[in-house]
Amino acid sequence: MLRFLTAGESHGKGLVTIVEGLPAGIPITSDQISRELARRRLGYGRGPRMRFEADEITLLGGIRHGRTLGSPVAIEIANSEWEKWKEEMSPAAGKPSKRLTTPRPGHADLPGMQKYGLADARDVLERASARETAARVAAGALAKAILAELGATVISHVIQLGSERAGPSVRPGPGDIDEVDASPVRCFDKQAQERMVDAIKAAAKEGDSLGGVAEVMAYGIPVGLGSHVHWDRKLDGLLAQALCSIQAVKAVEIGDGITVSGVRGSQAHDSIYFDEASGTLMRETSRAGGIEGGISTGGDIIVRAYMKPLATLNRPVIGTVDVATGERALSFKERTDVTAVPAMGVVAEAMVALTLAGEALRKYGGDSLGEFIANYRSHTAQVHHGLAPFAGGADAGDKAGQAGTMIDGPSSASR
Ligand code: EPS
């Protein structure tokens, strides 16, 4: 079982993540993890902190000479502003310089204070902050490294920012990620990208914030991750939980789930056909997002995460109550981003990769990479073997199995 924990506050000394359940022998370097962390700092509309936050990492355990050891991997990410915050955030006994008592509507401030019996909103917001997602992205880099061993890639792009949308047929393929990251808003549609930047500028001018939608694709995911047999093993359910756990994400769509809810059944599903060239069963479309009955079909996994506009505004105008006096007030002002949708896409990739790698490890098992891959090949061979009558006899199925041929989904350049 793959699991990970994160700890640390936004302005504390640093963040830490422990990833447990990785087989031994997965190639990984600190550069790979740092590259993912740098991608999360991208995006027009981030606050000043993203310009100086370096996400400096220390690998504390679980990796030796560029490979996992099978032991828990621990990664520390330092916060560059710690010097400035070390009194306010000190773990030593003491008091804050001032208490934040006008909770921001839409943030975790008030329910967190009420739940934990805290009188200072900072005691809640420091952990609720999306700074924590840096630790998730570090863990996600390890998950991506496992998936890469299966020939699978997870990428994302922004398809909506505020009310500006990318064209419906513009979807990057596995080789397009650098082009997506080169966009100021991580949008693959050049025309939409300009409108998105303008929308961010307009919101920034008024001290406001914007939400949006990031789409995540996982290419090359084999048949058979997740299961139909229990509610808590369904792959779509697991992905929805993983994505909804990202700060400010309020909705998740699997494939064309929202659109198909309004059309007839005859137009809502993906026809199955036998592809002679690859010798596999494929789907003509990707409406189901590569998941049927809670099980991956071998097609492209497509999911979307919907982010609300950030609850912290540079010009607070939403009414609240000062919990120290009971008087009406405006929420406190805290340094913030105008939008974090481009970064959320990178975090969503990490959460999707962690979910898929976790399910791949559950399916194939193995304490070493070699064992994991052998089990994966064996299952792939079985799936091919079942197709042997179509592929020209049992021998053809066996050959495909021996070669460990991957079952790819329909290629995904367009929606
Ligand atoms: C955040 C507020 C801002 C963001 C932060 C999330 O932090 P600060 O108040 O220190 O400027 O920069 O995001 C990150 C630090 C990050 O690494 O993503 C918030 O309130 O959630």
Side-chain angles (χ1 to χ4, degrees), residues 221-241:
I221 297 298
V223 174
L225 305 194
S227 175
H228 64 290
V229 303
H230 282 301
W231 67 270
D232 58 352
R233 291 192 54 194
K234 288 178 182 264
L235 187 60
D236 35 11
L238 294 170
L239 287 168
Q241 201 276 329

Side-chain angles (χ1 to χ4, degrees), residues 11 40 46 49-50 107 129-131 334-335 337:
H11 302 101
R40 200 196 62 93
R46 297 296 321 259
R49 182 166 177 187
M50 285 305 96
H107 217 285
S129 159
R131 173 74 191 144
E334 179 89 352
R335 187 176 61 180
D337 310 317

Side-chain angles (χ1 to χ4, degrees), residues 10-11 85 98 100 104 107 122 125-126 129 312-316 331-337:
S10 182
H11 302 101
W85 284 86
K98 65 165 183 166
L100 299 177
R104 296 160 297 171
H107 217 285
R122 183 161 302 286
L125 74 88
E126 282 289 335
S129 159
T312 315
L313 303 181
N314 276 314
R315 186 175 61 95
S331 56
F332 61 82
K333 191 173 163 352
E334 179 89 352
R335 187 176 61 180
T336 188
D337 310 317

